[in-house]
Amino acid sequence: MADENTKSTMSRRRFIKNSSYVAGGAIGGGFLGTILGRNVFTDNQQQASPEKNNNANDYNRALMYFTRQKDFDILSAATERIFPEDENGPGAIKLGVPYFIDHQLAGAYGHNDREYMQRPFYPGSDFQGYQTRLKRHEVFMVGIQAIENESQKGFDSSFLDLEDKQKDEILQKFQDGKVDLKGVTPTTFFELLRSATLEGAYSDPLYGGNGNMEGWLMKEYPGNYMSYINDIGKDKFIKKEPKPLRAHFAS
Amino acid sequence: MAKKLKKVDVVTVGVGWTGGIIAAELTKQGVQVVGLERGKARSTEDFQHVHDEYRYAIRYELMQDLSRETITFRNHRDERALPMRQLGSFLLGEGLGGAGVHWNGQTWRFLPYDFEIKTKTEEKYGPNKLGSDYTLQDWGITYEELDPYFYKFEQMAGISGEDNPKGAPRNNPYPTPPMKETPITKLFKDAAKNKNLHPVHIPSGNLSERYENPDGQTINQCQYCGFCERFGCEYGAKTSPNVTVIPTAKKTGNFELRTHANVTEILYDGSKATGVKYVDLQTGEEFIQPADVVVLTSYVMNNARLLLQAGIGKPYDPETRTGVIGKNYCYQILPGATGFFEDKKFNTYMGAGALGAAVDDYNGDNFDHSKLDFIHGGVLAISQTGQRPINNNVVPNDTPNWGKEFKAQSIKYYHRNLAIGAQGASIPHRNNYLSLDPDYKDVFGFPLLRMTYDFTEQDRKLHDYLSGKCADIMKEMGADIVEPREIKDHYSIVPYQTTHNTGGVIMGADPETSAVNNYLQMWDADNLFVVGASAFAHNGGYNPTGTVGALAYRAAEGIMKYRENKGQLVKAKAASKRA
């Protein structure tokens, strides 16, 4: 794991160094300085696991929603199976996805603020969508506890202690609708978990996921550029160092 | 107790493209217009931090707040309709400019065939091509009659395009040249030409160059930034009501815009609409706004809902097949083919909402249907809208949608997949319609609109056909894996498909079978005009906004005529004569 980290940092260091974008000085010094100086080179090596990545300055990486560490750890382990670390780069945990989800559950998303939650509630067909009376934050709690129950039932062990293959087996049961959940279908929970994991991996880093923009780096997605008018006609693939929305505030 | 305000000449319910066009056209001619918009004011300065996929494309920042009002949905009449609790299949607009803020800008004209679809289909294929369950009908207007209104809309909006040999014939060039050619559009065009098709650039509301419209409004040059659909434009380069017709109306001094003004009822005295009732969402106060002319400008859903609630026009009954309000609700089908390229990466993260290339060889009646068991078709297009990473994780069919393999494949193919998509026309069916829900209410206690909709046999056949054609082009483009799309067992309200909902308050020549005449004036209330894709008698094989815009200009002219002459502007044709 340490090797992987070093490798990915080095390749990015090389990328930035070689980038004509930086050489041309097209970007404000404030923003790039932040990226180079702190996030990329300093923090990266320390993000081996959620327990170890509590960099003293990363005030955002704390819990807004979850009250029990274990629930948060189960969520973390589940997201990591959905988006695992591999040869492409970090998985959900290193990207900060569990924190992203925690923060989202504490706010409008978790509380379905802009959605129709009036009674009466009926089960509905597969084509009628979300019909549970539970709000998303409640769905996550019910689902996470059910993951642990299934693990105890099937393997006589906590989800946190399972082999990857066993974890996948359990998650697959949720996706296939083969678990009894209270108040919500297991597929509804699984689909929320799956989509929230991808959202955390690839949303702007302002939301707490996509740590160091590594989600974007893996996909070679450049984030927030204001114009491609001079590049859109070009035939070759153009790789650009990603820019976050924060860049709007840099001088 | 609602406070009664001073009567005005004209009030519009909603201020998006249609409300904005009505307001601009009438106020320029000295008419006093009040625009009631339930959302907030917004324009270019609100979009400087808009490059945020999560906030805008995933959490739908600019779309309707469903906690206040949604629709209910069922596939079939014997099912219980349930609320659409989250946005999904389509993204309803809300706020100043409506969906005209977060559209992609693809601006087509429906084909001459569309407006006379029943007559032309029967002429060529006989009276019973599809069977009697399909409630196909002419629009009560011809393409030739609408041509000048299309042009008015395109001039106002500055549309960038080029001649299309298979498209609706034009008497004028587009106001601005087409958007840039890219390796993706070129690859598509070359392949299409090899297949003897007729590719063109998509007519675009993301402008190829800076443009000043006849009203003196400037629309800027598109920067191809890749944040268009679901976003507002930070450059004012995507044409929208907010940078065109709304400032034009304001400039006259005759337009009063009231935001946070949620219309709850049309007031109706049995023959005329006397005004509307609305709630100021910030204070909770109720107001009655009397007007000489009431214009519903809420695209589709609320046009139909407010009429059903007010009891204006006879509600459609699928059992007896009588009535008109709610009839001919249509959507679209989305055949297509995805191509995966092992050795070629494309700059798919760059783009613009209407950047792309298309062929109309399989649209309308541009190809012979004699030996086919469906009618119509759709435009086939490759669009380069800008693939953002949360929403674009395209993997070959046999890949799971999570886990190690999914991650590797979605990353690998992120810049190595292209899709050709068709917008398959939607032919009305007696069982697809809008009505009021008997159980579910909005935040004010009024019934929600209920949608009953499913795919038809016509849809399935057309879908298969067009997906095959898309796959043929994709193979010619050199993709290593080509996967044609398949239609689902039933229409689902969950995954995003398209916001091209149409019908419910359709236009036509006969009051027995249509709700509005060809000026979009209600047959049952002379001073009530209903403007939007609600007027479409069926949905064609294109994005609807060009045709919606043309109809809005036509309606504006009708309102001016009505102010002169009163009464019905069009003489009704009896059903018996046409049967």
Side-chain angles (χ1 to χ4, degrees):
Chain A
M1 287 233 303
D3 285 346
E4 280 297 325
N5 274 341
T6 316
K7 202 172 131 204
S8 94
T9 306
M10 286 310 291
S11 64
R12 226 147 19 79
R13 194 198 299 268
R14 238 186 339 267
F15 179 96
I16 292 166
K17 217 175 152 186
N18 295 340
S19 164
S20 60
Y21 187 69
V22 175
I27 197 167
F31 151 68
L32 196 65
T34 308
I35 298 292
L36 291 176
R38 203 161 56 88
N39 294 343
V40 175
F41 293 153
T42 316
D43 291 4
N44 193 55
Q45 282 97 333
Q46 300 179 23
Q47 293 192 8
S49 73
E51 297 77 31
K52 289 180 193 160
N53 73 3
N54 288 327
N55 184 302
N57 293 326
D58 223 341
Y59 301 115
N60 187 263
R61 294 205 167 184
L63 299 183
M64 285 183 199
Y65 173 73
F66 283 95
T67 51
R68 294 184 185 183
Q69 182 74 39
K70 189 176 179 188
D71 292 337
F72 182 70
D73 290 345
I74 291 166
L75 170 74
S76 301
T79 61
E80 183 68 18
R81 292 316 303 152
I82 286 169
F83 198 83
E85 177 159 343
D86 67 358
E87 57 278 10
N88 289 292
I93 289 176
K94 272 194 207 161
L95 291 171
V97 167
Y99 292 105
F100 165 87
I101 293 176
D102 171 78
H103 298 358
Q104 288 298 312
L105 292 179
Y109 166 86
H111 290 77
N112 303 52
D113 276 3
R114 297 180 73 230
E115 283 150 17
Y116 190 85
M117 294 300 283
Q118 303 301 313
R119 287 181 291 182
F121 289 89
Y122 295 104
S125 76
D126 290 347
F127 309 96
Q128 290 176 305
Y130 195 96
Q131 294 298 340
T132 170
R133 72 179 63 223
L134 301 183
K135 295 179 174 177
R136 289 193 189 92
H137 75 93
E138 297 167 308
V139 172
F140 268 86
M141 287 312 300
V142 166
I144 286 167
Q145 278 155 17
I147 288 178
E148 181 64 3
N149 290 344
E150 281 301 307
S151 179
Q152 295 290 356
K153 217 165 69 184
F155 300 104
D156 202 20
S157 172
S158 169
F159 187 73
L160 296 172
D161 300 325
L162 299 185
E163 300 295 321
D164 287 348
K165 214 174 141 238
Q166 296 170 318
K167 288 180 189 164
D168 290 354
E169 244 175 72
I170 287 183
L171 292 174
Q172 191 63 54
K173 279 172 85 174
F174 280 82
Q175 184 171 35
D176 295 343
K178 291 177 180 158
V179 181
D180 283 330
L181 283 198
K182 197 177 163 194
V184 64
T185 66
T187 46
T188 300
F189 162 65
F190 182 83
E191 187 45 40
L192 276 182
L193 175 69
R194 190 190 78 85
S195 51
T197 301
L198 294 178
E199 286 157 15
Y202 292 129
S203 51
D204 191 280
L206 88 88
Y207 294 99
N210 188 16
N212 292 339
M213 300 186 285
E214 298 230 30
W216 288 352
L217 280 164
M218 282 187 278
K219 264 193 166 174
E220 298 179 308
Y221 178 71
N224 166 35
Y225 274 73
M226 296 307 284
S227 175
Y228 298 123
I229 193 166
N230 296 320
D231 291 333
I232 188 98
K234 291 181 184 161
D235 198 40
K236 275 221 157 81
F237 182 75
I238 301 172
K239 196 170 162 180
K240 288 175 182 283
E241 181 67 7
K243 285 170 66 175
L245 274 167
R246 172 69 191 158
H248 281 315
F249 285 98
S251 57
Chain B
M1 196 45 201
K3 185 178 169 189
K4 194 166 178 178
L5 303 169
K6 202 167 147 262
K7 191 174 182 181
V8 295
D9 294 336
V10 174
V11 65
T12 76
V13 181
V15 185
W17 266 130
T18 56
I21 288 168
I22 299 292
E25 289 306 291
L26 300 185
T27 55
K28 281 194 282 183
Q29 297 174 73
V31 179
Q32 301 292 315
V33 178
V34 165
L36 300 176
E37 167 54 53
R38 66 180 172 184
K40 60 188 174 189
R42 56 189 184 187
S43 197
T44 307
E45 64 179 320
D46 292 290
F47 306 132
Q48 299 310 303
H49 297 265
V50 84
H51 286 187
D52 184 340
E53 183 187 12
Y54 185 61
R55 179 174 177 183
Y56 292 94
I58 306 296
R59 298 267 71 86
Y60 308 130
E61 171 93 0
L62 300 176
M63 295 17 164
Q64 183 171 317
D65 179 352
L66 297 188
S67 72
R68 312 185 60 82
E69 175 199 319
T70 183
I71 60 150
T72 67
F73 164 72
R74 59 184 181 174
N75 285 121
H76 301 290
R77 274 193 280 156
D78 52 10
E79 249 183 319
R80 185 202 304 272
L82 294 177
M84 176 176 80
R85 296 186 180 277
Q86 306 178 340
L87 285 169
S89 171
F90 45 87
L91 300 173
L92 303 167
E94 185 172 272
L96 191 62
V101 166
H102 48 83
W103 70 316
N104 257 338
Q106 302 181 13
T107 312
W108 301 94
R109 298 176 171 200
F110 275 19
L111 296 164
Y113 171 70
D114 281 308
F115 300 100
E116 299 168 271
I117 189 167
K118 184 172 163 67
T119 302
K120 285 178 188 269
T121 304
E122 289 181 355
E123 269 170 19
K124 198 161 164 190
Y125 306 112
N128 211 21
K129 177 83 175 162
L130 290 184
S132 62
D133 284 342
Y134 293 87
T135 48
L136 197 65
Q137 59 190 65
D138 293 347
W139 292 37
I141 197 163
T142 64
Y143 172 76
E144 289 67 30
E145 289 171 282
L146 267 180
D147 171 68
Y149 306 98
F150 274 111
Y151 190 53
K152 262 190 163 172
F153 179 73
E154 291 161 358
Q155 271 189 305
M156 177 276 293
I159 303 306
S160 302
E162 62 185 345
D163 272 348
N164 179 356
K166 295 285 179 182
R170 303 178 59 83
N171 290 314
N172 308 85
Y174 283 99
T176 52
M179 299 194 85
K180 281 178 183 283
E181 193 83 70
T182 77
I184 294 173
T185 57
K186 185 161 185 312
L187 186 61
F188 174 88
K189 285 181 178 176
D190 289 346
K193 280 179 202 155
N194 292 345
K195 296 255 159 209
N196 296 317
L197 306 174
H198 300 81
V200 294
H201 250 49
I202 293 173
S204 171
N206 326 121
L207 298 206
S208 59
E209 61 186 33
R210 194 166 187 267
Y211 172 76
E212 186 180 314
N213 79 8
D215 297 316
Q217 306 296 341
T218 299
I219 305 154
N220 287 319
Q221 182 184 36
C222 175
Q223 298 298 306
Y224 303 87
C225 75
F227 288 83
C228 212
E229 81 252 297
R230 308 190 183 184
F231 304 86
C233 182
E234 72 274 27
Y235 290 101
K238 170 164 66 176
T239 191
S240 72
N242 312 56
V243 298
T244 56
V245 287
I246 294 169
T248 295
K250 281 183 177 164
K251 206 170 63 179
T252 64
N254 296 322
F255 182 53
E256 189 192 336
L257 170 67
R258 295 182 202 147
T259 51
H260 306 286
N262 192 333
V263 172
T264 54
E265 290 173 75
I266 308 167
L267 304 172
Y268 179 58
D269 70 5
S271 66
K272 276 191 178 155
T274 57
V276 297
K277 193 170 180 182
Y278 72 91
V279 178
D280 182 322
L281 294 175
Q282 291 180 313
T283 64
E285 287 172 286
E286 281 191 328
F287 296 96
I288 286 169
Q289 178 60 68
D292 287 330
V293 176
V294 175
V295 193
L296 305 188
T297 49
S298 304
Y299 189 61
V300 167
M301 303 299 174
N302 270 312
N303 286 358
R305 186 167 87 117
L306 288 168
L307 290 172
L308 288 166
Q309 192 183 304
I312 308 173
K314 193 176 169 196
Y316 172 69
D317 177 351
E319 202 54 57
T320 62
R321 306 179 68 160
T322 57
V324 289
I325 310 298
K327 180 181 161 181
N328 284 24
Y329 170 75
C330 287
Y331 195 47
Q332 252 172 359
I333 52 165
L334 302 169
T338 306
F340 298 88
F341 296 76
E342 298 295 337
D343 303 320
K344 174 95 180 126
K345 280 165 85 177
F346 300 92
N347 289 311
T348 44
Y349 62 85
M350 306 175 188
L355 174 64
V359 294
D360 272 324
D361 298 78
Y362 303 108
N363 203 351
D365 202 40
N366 286 348
F367 58 109
D368 185 33
H369 293 70
S370 301
K371 292 187 176 133
L372 300 169
D373 48 5
F374 60 85
I375 63 165
H376 214 307
V379 66
L380 273 51
I382 194 151
S383 338
Q384 192 175 349
T385 57
Q387 292 215 357
R388 295 166 298 272
I390 302 173
N391 253 344
N392 292 285
N393 290 288
V394 182
V395 291
N397 276 340
D398 50 1
T399 316
N401 71 354
W402 60 280
K404 189 172 165 53
E405 189 190 348
F406 166 75
K407 183 189 173 191
Q409 295 287 68
S410 60
I411 288 172
K412 174 185 168 186
Y413 286 115
Y414 184 49
H415 291 113
R416 289 184 174 90
N417 84 85
L418 298 176
I420 299 171
Q423 295 187 47
S426 177
I427 306 303
H429 188 279
R430 64 180 295 190
N431 290 334
N432 290 336
Y433 69 108
L434 304 173
S435 54
L436 289 181
D437 192 273
D439 300 317
Y440 290 95
K441 308 275 191 265
D442 71 6
V443 74
F444 304 108
F446 291 110
L448 297 182
L449 188 70
R450 177 176 65 183
M451 175 188 294
T452 306
Y453 180 78
D454 204 355
F455 297 133
T456 62
E457 279 309 299
Q458 147 81 24
D459 287 335
R460 292 176 196 286
K461 290 165 185 165
L462 177 59
H463 194 288
D464 282 357
Y465 184 82
L466 293 182
S467 279
K469 297 298 176 193
C470 293
D472 290 346
I473 302 174
M474 187 56 85
K475 280 176 204 150
E476 186 68 25
M477 285 168 64
D480 296 289
I481 308 169
V482 175
E483 293 179 347
R485 284 182 209 150
E486 284 171 23
I487 195 165
K488 302 280 185 284
D489 290 346
H490 295 284
Y491 168 67
S492 168
I493 203 78
V494 181
Y496 183 75
Q497 288 148 77
T498 171
T499 305
H500 303 164
N501 319 74
T502 65
V505 195
I506 64 173
M507 61 193 291
D510 176 2
E512 288 296 310
T513 57
S514 63
V516 295
N517 66 28
N518 64 30
Y519 285 101
L520 309 193
Q521 180 187 30
M522 286 284 298
W523 292 115
D524 287 351
D526 295 344
N527 72 331
L528 180 56
F529 290 74
V530 187
V531 188
S534 52
F536 290 13
H538 71 277
N539 200 1
Y542 288 126
N543 310 67
T545 304
T547 303
V548 170
L551 291 175
Y553 277 98
R554 169 87 181 168
E557 190 182 301
I559 294 165
M560 290 308 292
K561 280 185 193 239
Y562 169 79
R563 285 172 52 80
E564 290 278 309
N565 308 322
K566 306 296 179 211
Q568 276 293 315
L569 301 171
V570 181
K571 200 163 174 285
K573 278 187 193 160
S576 52
K577 282 188 204 156
R578 299 186 59 80

